[in-house]
Amino acid sequence: MKTLIIPIFVVYKGCPNRCVYCNERITAGLHPDRITRDRFRMIVDTHIAGTTRNYGKVQVAFYGGNFTGMSMEYQEELLGFAEEYIAGGVVDSVRISTRPDYIDEVRLSLLNAHHVRTVEIGAQSLIDTVLERSRRGHSADQVRQAVSLLREQGFETGMHLMAGLPGDSDEGFRYTVEETIRLEPDMVRIHPTVVLKDTALSRSYQAGDYRPLSMEDAVGLCKYALVRFKQEGISVIRIGLQTTSDMEIEGNIVAGPHHPAFRSLVEGALFLDMTVRLLARGGLTEGTVEFLVSPRDESRFRGMKNGNIAFFRNRYPYLSISLAADPGLPGDSLVMKGPRGMLAMAVSDLPVQA
């Protein structure tokens, strides 16, 4: 069963500098400068009351800042709020997001003592020149050291990665993905770089010094990452920025490959790739063919706004393609029933460019 994650935003708290792409007001929305006990209770109680499905676990998550960079007193205060719910059996554990250069034995000892189970670190890249141009303020080796220490201490560990950062390239992002795999985190988040209003990156863009990824290129890079992480058994818990009401205000997103359903674009593109490969493997360009997918993958096969279906009709005008859901099939897989028998493929079987 899935974990219910209750987000508590400590926007920009504990951050020693501002990254070139960062505008937390737009990406996280407006939040109070300090979380009080009353506000904490209101957020948690509202989420619990509004939950209509069963969850295996419940986690309180402190997002939006550098949690371990805040004062120890404020960390303990917030973790104490969560412990009241943990003691009452309502919440199981705590999740935080933080920077890799603020991970050490002392900080992790505090987290361990207050039921923190999951630590997500903002790595973004594992190339020092990209980190420098993004004004991250830490090195790739500090990311490696932080993940290693977290794993040694028994924390469930996540990493945030970004495609299209200043100074990065397709090859550089793929390198970051492969280096991330070597670190063996439990989970990753991926999103393409978006140019937000009132950031150093927006000024670079306006001056012509930065060019964001196209939507096609962003989808292609995230396809690569998703396939590789699936092949290695690393969970991808988010692809693309979560849309906030502030992001929908005209002018707040200056440029870049933002889409409110970006993950659906990536997954739809993967199913398109699998379909084309199976048709080529079966030598089918005309006649009738049926595809079978898990019920959860029907929309992925069809693509955003049935875009994959339109592609098939245009590319294979003499081929009649039908789709059926098979509850017995695992997710991320596709079966083709044609005149020469059945062929199957999984997302993890897709070849990737090294």
Side-chain angles (χ1 to χ4, degrees):
M1 298 178 74
K2 288 188 175 182
T3 298
L4 172 64
I5 297 175
I6 303 175
I8 310 286
F9 287 95
V10 287
V11 177
Y12 199 59
K13 291 295 184 182
C15 295
N17 59 278
R18 188 173 290 278
C19 303
V20 296
Y21 51 79
C22 179
N23 186 326
E24 284 285 358
R25 183 187 63 78
I26 293 175
T27 55
L30 291 174
H31 297 277
D33 185 62
R34 191 174 185 87
I35 304 297
T36 63
R37 186 184 302 274
D38 286 344
R39 180 166 181 82
F40 182 92
R41 287 174 173 171
M42 182 272 291
I43 293 171
V44 174
D45 292 346
T46 299
H47 273 79
I48 296 295
T51 300
T52 57
R53 57 180 292 182
N54 293 324
Y55 287 91
K57 300 287 184 180
V58 177
Q59 271 191 329
V60 166
F62 292 105
Y63 288 145
N66 175 29
F67 190 87
T68 56
M70 302 188 306
S71 70
M72 289 290 193
E73 292 76 17
Y74 192 33
Q75 291 182 56
E76 287 189 289
E77 182 180 352
L78 294 176
L79 293 172
F81 296 164
E83 286 199 320
E84 294 179 9
Y85 284 83
I86 293 172
V90 177
V91 170
D92 295 281
S93 61
V94 177
R95 170 187 298 243
I96 67 158
S97 63
T98 194
R99 290 170 55 96
D101 49 337
Y102 283 75
I103 295 292
D104 57 33
E105 297 276 359
V106 174
R107 290 181 171 93
L108 294 188
S109 178
L110 175 67
L111 301 183
N112 256 322
H114 290 84
H115 298 94
V116 175
R117 162 138 178 83
T118 308
V119 178
E120 298 186 46
I121 62 170
Q124 318 315 358
S125 175
L126 285 164
I127 301 174
D128 283 331
T129 54
V130 175
L131 294 171
E132 290 167 9
R133 290 189 59 176
S134 301
R135 298 183 193 169
R136 283 293 298 164
H138 64 77
S139 68
D141 277 345
Q142 285 176 303
V143 175
R144 295 182 178 95
Q145 292 161 10
V147 174
S148 177
L149 185 56
L150 285 165
R151 289 179 54 79
E152 286 176 11
Q153 296 272 344
F155 288 94
E156 186 179 49
T157 305
M159 293 175 62
H160 299 189
L161 306 179
M162 293 176 66
L165 285 168
D168 207 354
S169 62
D170 292 2
E171 294 77 15
F173 179 72
R174 289 194 286 268
Y175 169 83
T176 288
V177 169
E178 296 305 320
E179 287 295 290
T180 298
I181 289 169
R182 291 186 180 91
L183 294 176
E184 300 181 321
D186 298 287
M187 68 198 79
V188 295
R189 297 176 186 263
I190 316 162
H191 72 266
T193 304
V194 176
V195 183
L196 301 173
K197 179 182 176 181
D198 297 331
T199 61
L201 193 60
S202 69
R203 293 186 286 275
S204 295
Y205 171 74
Q206 298 292 354
D209 297 328
Y210 172 75
R211 185 175 68 179
L213 294 171
S214 67
M215 184 64 76
E216 180 181 1
D217 288 343
V219 168
L221 287 173
C222 291
K223 275 170 49 181
Y224 172 90
L226 182 56
V227 171
R228 286 296 291 122
F229 288 133
K230 283 183 178 293
Q231 289 173 342
E232 301 298 330
I234 298 171
S235 176
V236 180
I237 59 176
R238 172 165 285 279
I239 305 177
L241 283 172
Q242 183 168 345
T243 301
T244 66
S245 58
D246 285 290
M247 292 173 72
E248 295 176 335
I249 297 173
E250 186 175 355
N252 277 353
I253 295 180
V254 177
H258 174 68
H259 192 285
F262 185 78
R263 181 168 192 142
S264 295
L265 293 179
V266 174
E267 292 175 333
L270 289 176
F271 271 84
L272 177 62
D273 289 351
M274 288 196 293
T275 304
V276 170
R277 288 180 180 279
L278 286 178
L279 289 171
R281 193 184 299 173
L284 296 175
T285 57
E286 58 183 28
T288 299
V289 64
E290 181 182 34
F291 286 94
L292 304 175
V293 295
S294 165
R296 55 164 274 197
D297 288 332
E298 284 188 83
S299 62
R300 295 166 182 165
F301 179 89
R302 295 181 181 278
M304 183 71 64
K305 296 182 178 179
N306 282 320
N308 288 355
I309 302 300
F311 174 88
F312 301 146
R313 288 172 178 166
N314 181 62
R315 181 161 177 172
Y316 308 101
Y318 305 109
L319 185 64
S320 176
I321 295 176
S322 63
L323 174 67
D326 183 345
L329 283 179
D332 295 330
S333 63
L334 182 63
V335 173
M336 183 180 76
K337 294 171 63 176
R340 301 178 186 176
M342 297 178 66
L343 295 173
M345 193 172 194
V347 167
S348 58
D349 296 328
L350 283 168
V352 290
Q353 180 180 353

